Amino acid sequence: MGRCCAIIDPVCAGHDNFGHLESNARLVNACSGIPRDVARLAFEPALREDAERVHDPGYLSWLEQRCSAIVTPEWLDTDTYITRRSFDAALRAAGAAIAAVERSIEGEHCFALVRPPGHHAEFDRAMGFCLINNVAVAAKKALDSVGKIAIVDWDVHHGNGTQNCFYGTDRVLYCSVHQEHLFPYSGTVDEVGAGDGKGYTINAPLQAGSTIADYQFVFSEIFVPAIERFSPDVMIVSAGQDILFDDPLGRMSIRPQDFELLTRMLTRAAGVPLALVLEGGYSQSHGAAVHHIFAALMSNGKVDVQGMPSGRTQTIVSWLKSEHRLP
Ligand SMILES: [Zn+2]
């Protein structure tokens, strides 16, 4: 039986906007999937200096002041809202990601189920429901004590903010699988990193309707061998469950039980405990998916082949194999 824990935080509820998909209600639904016997970990909010490893100090000051000055929710762009408590919630979410990574370094799988999400947040701006890039903040901090970090982002949207944060370094391997031609419209196969980071960003944009057969093919042929070659000290998952079949924002065909297989493949590839951090996921079946992720963390199981990937996925995989010189 694997050791694992969860992080939840009531402060996240301060960032809420009734009727918006990225609401506290969706977090409550996700958290319904945490098994009863999984321990909840206490943690501290991220320090300002932690957030400044990833974000422009001027942006953080602006965001803090803007939140403190409002009474009712306001919009930073057409997708992204703030409330009076949003800055506090964002620092708590980033702190939860830091704690999840630290716990994984100590030898235990940990899933931080917190919001607002983070992977679209850029150096100097909020974007796509995200205010502070939780995973990037946690990874930057961990690089003080470990050599190499792998990040796998299975959210249906490309994690532009995370990719850009580590685009020029060979100490972070960023692997994203996402729906092509979808917000934020980045993450094409030829985005592979630059300078020292060339070859350390891997993007697998899949067509709408992709199934677990497609995801398993990308994982087994690209992500797993790339992670094994990289041999990370820390493995972070940007866990966005908006690839579920019933998600209102994505058009993928992943079932809740499929997350068990994806999680198992990553635990085996990395050889180190996983730190998972919630990104998207807005559907009814989100809680069931979270339950299956924990099931994979807590027990060993088989990884059965799930059928044939589409021709389009096979084409992308063969291109990526060649570009990234994978066996
Ligand atoms: Zn998403």
Side-chain angles (χ1 to χ4, degrees):
M1 176 128 163
R3 291 174 57 207
C4 72
C5 63
I7 298 179
I8 56 174
D9 186 2
V11 175
C12 294
H15 176 75
D16 202 10
N17 192 354
F18 182 74
H20 194 281
L21 282 173
E22 206 299 283
S23 66
N24 196 58
R26 74 122 183 158
L27 181 61
V28 171
N29 179 25
C31 289
S32 71
I34 304 173
R36 281 207 193 128
D37 53 347
V38 168
R40 269 67 162 175
L41 182 71
F43 71 101
E44 298 291 322
L47 301 173
R48 184 63 169 257
E49 66 201 57
D50 295 327
E52 288 180 1
R53 293 168 190 266
V54 170
H55 295 288
D56 176 14
Y59 161 67
L60 294 170
S61 296
W62 170 84
L63 182 64
E64 182 175 26
Q65 287 168 10
R66 181 120 188 224
C67 290
S68 68
I70 61 175
V71 178
T72 55
E74 287 193 2
W75 296 91
L76 299 181
D77 57 38
T78 51
D79 302 312
T80 315
Y81 67 86
I82 51 169
T83 70
R84 192 174 179 82
R85 303 307 306 274
S86 291
F87 192 74
D88 292 340
L91 281 181
R92 294 290 302 190
I98 290 170
V101 169
E102 288 176 347
R103 182 49 70 104
S104 76
I105 292 170
E106 288 164 11
E108 189 171 24
H109 301 298
C110 188
F111 193 167
L113 286 140
V114 288
R115 47 176 293 282
H119 72 157
H120 296 306
E122 293 277 7
F123 171 68
D124 59 358
R125 70 187 170 110
M127 182 174 165
F129 312 162
C130 303
L131 303 178
I132 290 175
N133 194 319
N134 308 319
V135 162
V137 168
K140 279 258 181 159
K141 189 173 173 98
L143 285 174
D144 284 350
S145 57
V146 303
K148 293 182 291 181
I149 298 175
I151 300 172
V152 169
D153 187 333
W154 69 41
D155 190 282
V156 79
H157 305 97
H158 178 239
N160 56 287
T162 312
Q163 172 175 298
N164 288 336
C165 187
F166 301 110
Y167 207 61
T169 180
D170 57 2
R171 295 182 64 196
V172 175
L173 174 68
Y174 178 71
C175 303
S176 177
V177 56
H178 45 271
Q179 185 180 317
E180 63 180 356
H181 312 311
L182 187 69
F183 180 90
Y185 307 102
S186 52
T188 52
V189 287
D190 56 352
E191 294 171 25
V192 297
D196 289 345
K198 191 164 189 298
Y200 292 88
T201 291
I202 304 178
N203 281 301
L206 302 184
Q207 63 188 358
S210 292
T211 69
I212 189 60
D214 299 285
Y215 278 79
Q216 184 178 35
F217 196 60
V218 169
F219 274 46
S220 64
E221 299 297 309
I222 305 296
F223 290 180
V224 167
I227 291 165
E228 287 174 346
R229 180 172 70 187
F230 185 66
S231 187
D233 303 300
V234 167
M235 177 86 216
I236 306 176
V237 182
S238 259
Q241 283 65 251
D242 42 11
I243 51 177
L244 280 162
F245 71 98
D246 59 344
D247 195 274
L249 291 184
R251 290 180 54 212
M252 292 308 197
S253 301
I254 297 299
R255 303 160 299 172
Q257 61 269 34
D258 295 334
F259 284 95
E260 207 163 314
L261 182 139
L262 298 181
T263 306
R264 272 193 214 296
M265 291 183 82
L266 294 185
T267 54
R268 289 183 189 182
V272 293
L274 304 188
L276 300 104
V277 181
L278 183 66
E279 299 287 358
Y282 310 95
S283 72
Q284 279 298 318
S285 63
H286 195 179
V290 167
H291 194 82
H292 282 285
I293 291 170
F294 276 105
L297 296 176
M298 294 166 72
S299 67
N300 295 317
K302 290 192 297 179
V303 174
D304 294 326
V305 176
Q306 300 291 313
M308 281 288 288
S310 70
R312 171 87 176 133
T313 298
Q314 292 182 44
T315 302
I316 287 165
V317 162
S318 60
W319 194 96
L320 289 172
K321 262 192 175 183
S322 166
E323 173 67 24
H324 293 280
R325 296 191 296 282
L326 292 164

